[in-house]
Structure formats: C-alpha cells, structure tokens
Amino acid sequence: MPKPSTEDYVNAGLLEALVEGNLALEFLDRGLVRNAAGKIFQSWRALMAALLRLELDKLLQVVKSEDERRWLVDKAIPRVPTSRMKALSQLLELIGYTDASLWTDKALNLHDYQYNGPDPDMAVSKYRSREEATYDVVKLLSGLIRYVEVIKPRIRWSDELENALRELRKRLSPTEP
C-alpha cells in the first residue's frame, strides 16, 4: 500500500475495496457465507480508509483536539481500527457521507458473523441464518458501490479501478436485493 500521505493511497484503497467485494461475491457463489462476510468487512474497511484519506482536510477541521488530529493521521487512516470504525464513520457523516455509520454497523455485524456464524438465539451474532447474512453482504456491496460512484469524479480514476467496478456491478446485479 502506498503511504497514507499520497494520493495513490485513495486509489489503492478503492481498488482493494472493489477486489474484496468481488471476492465476497465469489465466496457467496460457492456457499461460503462466513468467508463472504469477512471479505465484505475488509472491503468496507478499505473504502473507509480511502474516504478518510480523501477527506483528511475536512476531517481535521471537524476533530477538536490536536491529539485526535494526530491519531487520525497516524493511526486511523493507515489502520482503520475495528474498535473505532463507528466513531470514524460518524466523522464521515459529519462531513457529508450520509448513512456511513449505518453501513458501518452492517459491516461490523457481518464481521461478528464471520467469527460466530449463524446463531438462532442471536446471543453472539445478529444473524439467525446464512440467508440473513447473505442478504446483508449483498446490501453492503450495493452501498459500497454508491459511495465509490460519489467519489469517482473527485479522484484520478484508472482503467484498473473501472474494470474492478464494472466486474463488481456485473456480478452483483443478479443477486442485488
């Protein structure tokens, strides 16, 4: 991955998000729902890293303390810690990314599902069945594509990104909820 301070970091994050999204669909095709849940979580996390880097200037204006600003640059963008994804998505909402925290909640629920699987009692997973998790994997992919479409005009868009997006759209259309 390029250093978070470079423009290439955004493109690399978007490419990772799109490739991981395609892998999630491939796993769904094979009936590997828990693996698909892990891949869509990684896809969303990569998208968040790209968005955080792309919007760093705006985010630095929203964040109040110097320690938070330093943490955002040094830790949040390069790592997107799972434990802070909710807070980071709320920051993205503050600068105009509507429903980022709702999509992030879905990604975190799928992350739990990856490790715990279906749980009819819903004690350790929010999903009672593989079908419920499958629905949310596909739904989150749809949301991811919408965010990519929003930022596409703002970045140096490559043929590689276009091909990955086209492949994801093509694979997603027959399964989209």
Side-chain angles (χ1 to χ4, degrees):
M1 260 320 242
K3 288 191 178 246
S5 60
T6 66
E7 182 185 76
D8 291 337
Y9 188 84
V10 174
N11 291 51
L14 289 175
L15 184 60
E16 180 182 352
L18 295 169
V19 169
E20 294 286 349
N22 271 304
L23 287 171
L25 287 175
E26 185 174 317
F27 283 139
L28 284 182
D29 289 345
R30 295 180 184 185
L32 304 169
V33 180
R34 288 174 71 176
N35 296 78
K39 286 299 171 189
I40 188 56
F41 174 78
Q42 289 303 328
S43 179
W44 186 257
R45 189 178 195 174
L47 176 68
M48 281 188 69
L51 292 174
L52 291 167
R53 178 60 192 106
L54 180 66
E55 303 295 359
L56 182 59
D57 292 339
K58 289 180 187 175
L59 292 166
L60 290 174
Q61 292 174 4
V62 171
V63 173
K64 295 180 183 16
S65 77
E66 188 57 39
D67 285 344
E68 288 178 286
R69 288 185 194 97
R70 195 171 19 265
W71 180 84
L72 188 63
V73 172
D74 295 341
K75 301 278 197 274
I77 294 172
R79 295 191 184 102
V80 188
T82 304
S83 62
R84 298 288 299 272
M85 284 176 72
K86 280 183 182 266
L88 291 168
S89 66
Q90 291 168 354
L91 283 175
L92 287 169
E93 282 187 349
L94 288 175
I95 61 165
Y97 286 89
T98 306
D99 296 335
S101 65
L102 299 176
W103 291 115
T104 299
D105 285 346
K106 192 170 292 295
L108 289 167
N109 287 341
L110 287 163
H111 181 62
D112 288 345
Y113 177 83
Q114 175 190 9
Y115 291 102
N116 300 307
D119 181 9
D121 298 329
M122 298 179 73
V124 292
S125 173
K126 305 273 188 290
Y127 300 98
R128 292 174 295 145
S129 68
R130 295 165 44 99
E131 294 76 22
E132 288 178 358
T134 297
Y135 181 90
D136 273 3
V137 167
V138 173
K139 192 71 174 171
L140 185 54
L141 275 170
S142 299
L144 182 136
I145 288 172
R146 279 185 245 144
Y147 276 97
V148 170
E149 292 291 347
V150 166
I151 64 172
K152 182 179 174 180
R154 297 182 49 210
I155 63 170
R156 191 172 22 96
W157 192 255
S158 68
D159 289 341
E160 191 174 26
L161 283 167
E162 185 60 36
N163 292 337
L165 179 58
R166 186 180 312 116
E167 178 66 22
L168 185 57
R169 272 199 212 110
K170 184 174 100 181
R171 292 187 78 175
L172 186 62
S173 14
T175 59
E176 195 168 3

